[in-house]
Amino acid sequence: MSAICIPRWLRPPLFSVSMLITMAVVYFTYFDEAWNMSEGDRAIVRVNLPFKKPLLHHPKGAAYVRANASIISLVRNEELDGIIQSMRELERSFNSKFNYSWIFFNNEPFTDEFKRRTRKETNGECHYELIPPEHWNVPDWIDHNKLEESLHEMRAQGVQYADKLSYHQMCRWNSGFFYKHPALKGIKYYWRVEPDVKFYCDIDYDVFKFMEEYNKTYGFTINVYDDPKSVRSLWPVTQSFLDANPQYLSRDNSLLWLTDRKRRPGRYDEANGYSTCHFWSNFEIGDLDFWRSEAYEQFFEHLDRTGGFFYERWGDAPVHSVALGLFLDNEKIHWFRDIGYEHPPYINCPNLPSCQACQPNLFTHSWFNYEDCRPLWFHQVCESRRRKGLDDEGMCMIAHSLRKYHD
Ligand code: GDP
Ligand code: MN
């Protein structure tokens, strides 16, 4: 009688190993989407968030009068291909219908090639603006030895871009200077665009007129956590500003969102009391008058004097977000859920028929899905709207589905 011969890979221990490999392959092949989804993605899918298209009272037509607005972009000459990609995306999805002007900013003069090639991409006017050195240069009261030391230390801690001085200058300019550029004098609304971004949805209404009619001050698409090592003293410095200027704190502020500890205590502790949640400012549609306000101007001055843009690596996103969350009524901040947008590694992709080429509700293709701060924002909006008896735009449905974090 001959024994049945079982191949080695079907016998323990090889069998268990091959089963594990097979299961992993099946999981990553068929459940990849679920694996990539953040908690915010899941909540949005679960409640099937309703969407109301904004109604505007400004019909398009021959006599169309644009809002007082411009598309603005800080960009380097060497990022020409990247900005052309972004222009094509935005012109196709929005601006070819409205022809808003583009204003490009640079700390160095734009080349003729840059001007020639960007002009070809739009029917709107193009302006090329040099940043005054006093808006860009490292201020003379920055201590260079301390700066060197700080950059070195942040590099050792792995803070992204920490040792790139121009990145610090860029963040400071975007925080406290872009709106002071003479080219923006008299302009009210702006849409900030960076190189190499994508716009996935057809936008058939004028977003600037939307801001005007719905009385919004700031619009965002993506809302994420930050590296607390880059903003260690931002919150303590902000608190000292608020202690001295309590009159600037809005009644309907977004402090729940700014100071939540429950969801990510590690972030909160390392950032000394700041959740690190922020609007991702590579996309912004905003009212310049907010940045020109006395509250923001004094806040920026207070921050700047501490040197935190250089001794730490404060991004313009957390600086903008902290100010918006403190000084503005929550209802003035709008999530442009319907604007499909990608700046790697994060995406805003609504489940709407007007959107193509992005995966609905998927926040990232990478492993950073725990960086999604939208659940906390939904909670904040829900609480604020409920307190004021306003329409919460479906945010309470999501917030309730995530209730375990907030009780
Ligand atoms: P990230 O999005 O944080 O990875 O940073 P980016 O490299 O995209 O920079 C943010 C924005 O600032 C982009 O629009 C860049 O083109 C712009 N930028 C960054 N550094 C400089 C600089 O030194 N000069 C100019 N003109 N633009 C810069
Ligand atoms: Mn960028």
Side-chain angles (χ1 to χ4, degrees), residues 74-76 79 105-107 136 161 166-167 170 194-195 343:
L74 172 73
V75 57
R76 290 165 283 211
E79 291 170 306
F105 295 97
N106 194 350
N107 57 310
W136 187 267
Y161 301 122
S166 65
Y167 196 87
M170 179 274 286
E194 285 201 0
H343 174 301

Side-chain angles (χ1 to χ4, degrees), residues 1-131:
M1 199 173 75
S2 65
I4 300 165
C5 182
I6 302 172
R8 239 170 79 81
W9 67 270
L10 273 176
R11 277 181 272 148
L14 270 188
F15 179 68
S16 347
V17 174
S18 40
M19 275 309 281
L20 272 177
I21 293 172
T22 314
M23 279 160 65
V25 169
V26 169
Y27 188 87
F28 283 107
T29 311
Y30 296 102
F31 300 101
D32 170 62
E33 193 176 313
W35 181 260
N36 270 305
M37 281 173 88
S38 72
E39 200 179 2
D41 300 332
R42 286 174 216 272
I44 293 167
V45 172
R46 195 163 50 231
V47 303
N48 195 14
L49 196 60
F51 179 74
K52 272 190 265 159
K53 195 169 174 262
L55 282 173
L56 293 182
H57 296 104
H58 296 272
K60 283 193 285 174
Y64 189 71
V65 181
R66 281 186 288 270
N68 179 8
S70 259
I71 302 166
I72 67 171
S73 184
L74 172 73
V75 57
R76 290 165 283 211
N77 283 308
E78 54 274 28
E79 291 170 306
L80 178 55
D81 289 339
I83 197 67
I84 283 183
Q85 178 199 296
S86 302
M87 287 183 82
R88 283 188 188 160
E89 296 268 326
L90 189 55
E91 288 290 329
R92 189 198 62 239
S93 56
F94 169 74
N95 201 40
S96 54
K97 294 156 221 162
F98 301 99
N99 295 325
Y100 280 97
S101 61
W102 285 80
I103 309 180
F104 301 95
F105 295 97
N106 194 350
N107 57 310
E108 287 174 3
F110 283 110
T111 61
D112 290 341
E113 188 198 0
F114 188 98
K115 294 180 190 172
R116 183 173 50 76
R117 287 185 53 201
T118 45
R119 271 202 189 102
K120 276 198 198 146
E121 300 296 332
T122 176
N123 288 326
E125 282 178 22
C126 289
H127 303 272
Y128 302 89
E129 302 292 339
L130 193 60
I131 295 171

